C-alpha cells in the first residue's frame, strides 16, 4: 500500500487534504490524474448500470434530507459503532476491531513490543455527521449529511414510478458523496470519512427477490472482470445471519484481496420491503406498486452498493507492477484502456525540432476531440515513456525524423513495449479499434 500511496502522490493522483495546515486525518484531495481516473470509473459504472439497460433510471438526490428520513431508515437509532477509549494513549478504537489497540503503537521498554491499551467500557457512537439548517441552532434545526445515497432513492420511489412510468422490476441509480464519521478511518482511501458512493436500488416483485439478488451478484462481479481486475483477487462472501444489517434478508460482499487482506469492495444486499415500508409508516405516503389489474404489493429491493474510493484502491493495487526492462527498472500501472486516466500520449522525439513539434501538435489536436490524450515534450524520451507508464497510459505515439519524410509515427504499447509504425492519417482509426479490442491484463488471471 505504501508504494501505491507514494506513486499517487508523486504523479498527482491523490494528495493528503489540507496539507499546508498540517493535514486532516484520512481526508484526501484528487489531483488531475485522480480526477480523470475517477471520472472514467464513474462513466463505466454509469454505462453498465444505466446507459446499456432499459430497466434502470438515474437520480441525483440532495445530500441533506429531512431528518425524519434517517429516523425511518434506522440510522438515528442504529447506525453506530461501539467506541472505546484508551486511558493511557488517549486513542479511540472500535470495540469490534481491537486488533489495532496496542497502546498508541508506541513500543514498551522492550524493543519491538507494544504495551496493551487500558480501555474504557464500549459506548455506542453514531457515525452520522450532524449539522444545522438555517440561522438558528436548536434541536429543530438538526440535520445530517447523508451516510448513504440509498435513502434519497427510496424517498423518490413514487416520483419515479409515476413520472418515469416504470413497473417492477426496475431500478434507480445514483452517484454522490456520502459522509461517515468513522472511528478508525485509514488504509489510504479504503476507509475515509467522505466518499463517493455508487448505489442502485432494484425494485422487484417479492417472489422474485432471491433470483434478482443472485443476478446482481453475478452482474457486479462481471463488471470488475470486464475492466481487467484479476479473477484470482476477487471473491464473493455471503454474510451469516448474525453479520447482516437490520434491513437485510441476505448480503454478499464482493471482496478484493487488498494489501490489508481480503476486504469488502462492494456489497450486494437483499433489503426486502424494509425501506419502502418504513418510509410509508413515517411519511404517511404509500410507497407501493399498483398494477393495471389492481394487484398491489410493496416491492422488494436488491441493492449493489460501492464507493469509488474502494474501486480506485482495488484498481490501483491490481494494476501496479514493477519490472526490469533491459538494465532499467520501471513502475507501470496496467490499467484497462477505458479506465486509464490518459488513453494516449503524443510525443515529439526532439522538442526543439519545429517540424516534429508541429506534426505532434497537429495529431494531438485531432485526437483530443474524442479521447483523453496528453502532449508531452518535456525531457528525454525514455523519461517521458516512464512517466506515462507510471500514470498507466496504454499507448504513446512518437513523432520522429522518419515522420517528416513518410508521414508515419511509432506506437508504443505500454504492456508489451512493442512498437509499430502507422500512417499519421490512420492513428485515429487505430486508436478507436484498439479501444474496441478485448483487453487482457498481462498479469494474468
Ligand atoms: N446503502 C448500503 C450501504 O451504504 P455499506 O456496506 O455501509 O452499505 C456500501 O456501504 C459501500 O460503500 C461499501 O461496500 C464500500 O464500497 C463503501 N464504503 C462504505 N463505507 C466507506 C468508507 N468509510 N470509505 C470508503 N468507502 C466506504
Amino acid at each position: 500500500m505504501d508504494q501505491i500511496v507514494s506513486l499517487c502522490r508523486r504523479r498527482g493522483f491523490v494528495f493528503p487534504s489540507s496539507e499546508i495546515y498540517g493535514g486532516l486525518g484520512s481526508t484526501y484531495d484528487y489531483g488531475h490524474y485522480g480526477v480523470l481516473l475517477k471520472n472514467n470509473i464513474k462513466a463505466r459504472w454509469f454505462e453498465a448500470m444505466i446507459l446499456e439497460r432499459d430497466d434502470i433510471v438515474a437520480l441525483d438526490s440532495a445530500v441533506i434530507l429531512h431528518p425524519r428520513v434517517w429516523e425511518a431508515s434506522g440510522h438515528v437509532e442504529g447506525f453506530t459503532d461501539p467506541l472505546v477509549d484508551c486511558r493511557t494513549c488517549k486513542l479511540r478504537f472500535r470495540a469490534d476491531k481491537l486488533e489495532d489497540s496496542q497502546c498508541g503503537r508506541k513500543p514498551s521498554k522492550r524493543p519491538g513490543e507494544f504495551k496493551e491499551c487500558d480501555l474504557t467500557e464500549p459506548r455506542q457512537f453514531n457515525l452520522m455527521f450532524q449539522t444545522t439548517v438555517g440561522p438558528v441552532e436548536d434541536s429543530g434545526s438538526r440535520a445530517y449529511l447523508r451516510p448513504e445515497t440509498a435513502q434519497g432513492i427510496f424517498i423518490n420511489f413514487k416520483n419515479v414510478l409515476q413520472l418515469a412510468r416504470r413497473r417492477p422490476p426496475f431500478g434507480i441509480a445514483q452517484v454522490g458523496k456520502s459522509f461517515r464519521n468513522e472511528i478508525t478511518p485509514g488504509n489510504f482511501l479504503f476507509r475515509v470519512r467522505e466518499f463517493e458512493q455508487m448505489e442502485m436500488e432494484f425494485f422487484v416483485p417479492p417472489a422474485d427477490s432471491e433470483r434478482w439478488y443472485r443476478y446482481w451478484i453475478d452482474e457486479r462481479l462481471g463488471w470488475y472482470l470486464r475492466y481487467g481486475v484479476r479473477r484470482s483477487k476477487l471473491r464473493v462472501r455471503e454474510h451469516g445471519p448474525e453479520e447482516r444489517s437490520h434491513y437485510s434478508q441476505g448480503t454478499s460482499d464482493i471482496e478484493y484481496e487488498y494489501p490489508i487482506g481480503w476486504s469488502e469492495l462492494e456489497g450486494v444486499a437483499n433489503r426486502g420491503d424494509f425501506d419502502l415500508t418504513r418510509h410509508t409508516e413515517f411519511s404517511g405516503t404509500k410507497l407501493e406498486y399498483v398494477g393495471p389489474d389492481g394487484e398491489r404489493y410493496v416491492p422488494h429491493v436488491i441493492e449493489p452498493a460501492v464507493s469509488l474510493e474502494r474501486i480506485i484502491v482495488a484498481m490501483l493495487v491490481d494494476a501496479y507492477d514493477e519490472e526490469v526492462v533491459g538494465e532499467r527498472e520501471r513502475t507501470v500501472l496496467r490499467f484497462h484502456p477505458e479506465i486509464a486516466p490518459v488513453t494516449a500520449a503524443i510525443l515529439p522525439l526532439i522538442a526543439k525540432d519545429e517540424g516534429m513539434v508541429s506534426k505532434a501538435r497537429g495529431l494531438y489536436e485531432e485526437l483530443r476531440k474524442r479521447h483523453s490524450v496528453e502532449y508531452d515534450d518535456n525531457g528525454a524520451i525514455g523519461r517521458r515513456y516512464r512517466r506515462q507508464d507510471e500514470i498507466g497510459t496504454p499507448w504513446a505515439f512518437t513523432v520522429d525524423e522518419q515522420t517528416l519524410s513518410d508521414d508515419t509515427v511509432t506506437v508504443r504499447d505500454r504492456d508489451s513495449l512493442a512498437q509499430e509504425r502507422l500512417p499519421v492519417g490512420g492513428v485515429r482509426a487505430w486508436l478507436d479499434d484498439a479501444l474496441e479490442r478485448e483487453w487482457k491484463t498481462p498479469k494474468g488471471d
Side-chain angles (χ1 to χ4, degrees):
M1 195 73 109
D2 288 347
Q3 288 158 311
I4 304 277
V5 175
S6 135
L7 173 67
C8 283
R9 170 89 217 230
R10 186 164 77 244
R11 290 297 173 204
F13 281 86
V14 180
F15 313 115
S17 185
S18 311
E19 220 179 355
I20 61 168
Y21 289 96
L24 178 67
S26 295
T27 52
Y28 294 91
D29 297 335
Y30 289 84
H32 181 69
Y33 296 125
V35 174
L36 294 178
L37 177 65
K38 217 168 153 179
N39 285 349
N40 284 347
I41 296 172
K42 250 189 275 191
R44 303 294 86 82
W45 186 88
F46 201 83
E47 276 160 16
M49 300 300 274
I50 295 157
L51 301 181
E52 292 173 1
R53 303 184 63 104
D54 296 325
D55 53 1
I56 302 181
V57 295
L59 180 80
D60 188 358
S61 71
V63 167
I64 298 175
L65 305 175
H66 194 292
R68 291 275 286 165
V69 169
W70 305 110
E71 288 172 33
S73 68
H75 282 82
V76 169
E77 200 186 326
F79 194 53
T80 54
D81 276 339
L83 167 81
V84 289
D85 292 280
C86 170
R87 296 185 185 94
T88 313
C89 69
K90 310 289 179 218
L91 291 181
R92 294 185 153 170
F93 303 98
R94 268 172 66 167
D96 55 344
K97 295 236 175 336
L98 279 179
E99 55 275 16
D100 290 339
S101 67
Q102 285 167 320
C103 203
R105 288 249 151 230
K106 285 190 204 103
S108 69
K109 283 187 186 134
R110 276 193 266 168
E113 277 191 8
F114 295 95
K115 280 187 282 177
E116 289 300 315
C117 283
D118 175 15
L119 299 173
T120 59
E121 283 301 303
R123 60 202 157 95
Q124 290 303 320
F125 172 77
N126 195 299
L127 301 185
M128 281 196 294
F129 278 102
Q130 280 190 27
T131 186
T132 49
V133 173
V136 184
E137 213 173 295
D138 57 28
S139 60
S141 66
R142 181 181 306 150
Y144 305 95
L145 302 188
R146 65 179 175 201
E148 62 173 17
T149 60
Q151 298 304 322
I153 296 178
F154 297 127
I155 60 174
N156 277 288
F157 171 77
K158 203 172 168 197
N159 286 336
V160 175
L161 197 64
Q162 287 175 347
L163 304 175
R165 287 174 288 112
R166 299 283 154 173
R167 51 183 302 180
F170 78 96
I172 308 176
Q174 79 167 322
V175 180
K177 288 258 176 158
S178 292
F179 304 84
R180 295 183 189 180
N181 200 358
E182 299 280 2
I183 298 170
T184 47
N187 292 313
F188 192 36
L189 300 169
F190 182 84
R191 180 165 286 110
V192 278
R193 296 198 169 103
E194 176 181 340
F195 51 98
E196 210 162 342
Q197 274 191 319
M198 306 198 288
E199 297 197 287
M200 194 276 293
E201 309 302 322
F202 202 71
F203 301 93
V204 301
D208 298 343
S209 68
E210 180 62 20
R211 180 167 67 81
W212 282 110
Y213 170 56
R214 301 280 156 207
Y215 168 89
W216 278 110
I217 295 170
D218 289 348
E219 275 296 293
R220 292 304 305 148
L221 186 62
W223 184 86
Y224 292 101
L225 302 175
R226 174 173 166 187
Y227 291 109
V229 179
R230 283 169 293 167
R231 182 66 188 85
S232 57
K233 296 281 174 182
L234 290 164
R235 72 179 186 194
V236 175
R237 189 182 65 81
E238 186 133 19
H239 288 203
E242 69 302 331
E243 200 188 341
R244 284 187 210 140
S245 309
H246 57 282
Y247 52 73
S248 166
Q249 297 192 355
T251 298
S252 290
D253 288 345
I254 298 178
E255 294 189 333
Y256 182 79
E257 193 176 13
Y258 291 95
I260 50 170
W262 287 99
S263 306
E264 178 181 350
L265 165 60
E266 170 157 356
V268 181
N270 179 350
R271 301 180 68 118
D273 62 1
F274 177 83
D275 304 277
L276 294 183
T277 305
R278 290 279 288 193
H279 286 301
T280 297
E281 208 179 292
F282 278 68
S283 70
T285 300
K286 261 198 168 150
L287 301 177
E288 60 178 5
Y289 171 71
V290 184
D293 306 327
E295 55 161 341
R296 57 173 68 217
Y297 60 85
V298 178
H300 283 207
V301 174
I302 311 301
E303 173 196 70
V306 65
S307 71
L308 269 155
E309 282 72 8
R310 296 255 170 120
I311 300 180
I312 288 172
V313 181
M315 287 191 167
L316 280 166
V317 169
D318 214 68
Y320 186 91
D321 211 357
E322 286 174 2
E323 65 178 4
V324 178
V325 182
E327 302 271 281
R328 310 189 72 137
E329 258 184 41
R330 72 163 184 157
T331 300
V332 52
L333 288 179
R334 301 188 190 277
F335 284 133
H336 186 283
E338 289 185 273
I339 296 293
V342 176
T343 311
I346 311 353
L347 316 171
L349 184 64
I350 302 169
K352 287 195 184 122
D353 185 301
E354 274 180 29
M356 288 187 206
V357 165
S358 114
K359 264 281 168 210
R361 285 220 69 100
L363 183 59
Y364 170 62
E365 293 301 335
E366 186 191 341
L367 295 181
R368 74 190 298 190
K369 290 184 196 131
R370 299 197 34 191
H371 298 288
S372 166
V373 289
E374 191 168 277
Y375 175 86
D376 185 6
D377 62 7
N378 192 355
I381 192 74
R383 275 187 52 199
R384 280 184 269 163
Y385 283 146
R386 266 184 292 287
R387 189 152 63 218
Q388 295 299 332
D389 289 342
E390 284 207 351
I391 61 168
T393 307
W395 300 289
F397 298 103
T398 306
V399 171
D400 56 16
E401 239 158 55
Q402 194 179 328
T403 314
L404 305 181
S405 58
D406 68 1
D407 223 22
T408 62
V409 291
T410 62
V411 52
R412 171 189 181 267
D413 185 279
R414 175 198 66 199
D415 297 329
S416 65
L417 293 174
Q419 301 211 11
E420 60 174 303
R421 283 204 90 84
L422 300 173
V424 173
V427 168
R428 186 159 147 185
W430 186 95
L431 195 54
D432 289 342
D433 277 0
L435 284 166
E436 292 283 309
R437 281 199 292 270
E438 199 199 352
W439 180 85
K440 284 232 172 289
T441 169
K443 289 169 94 180
D445 288 338

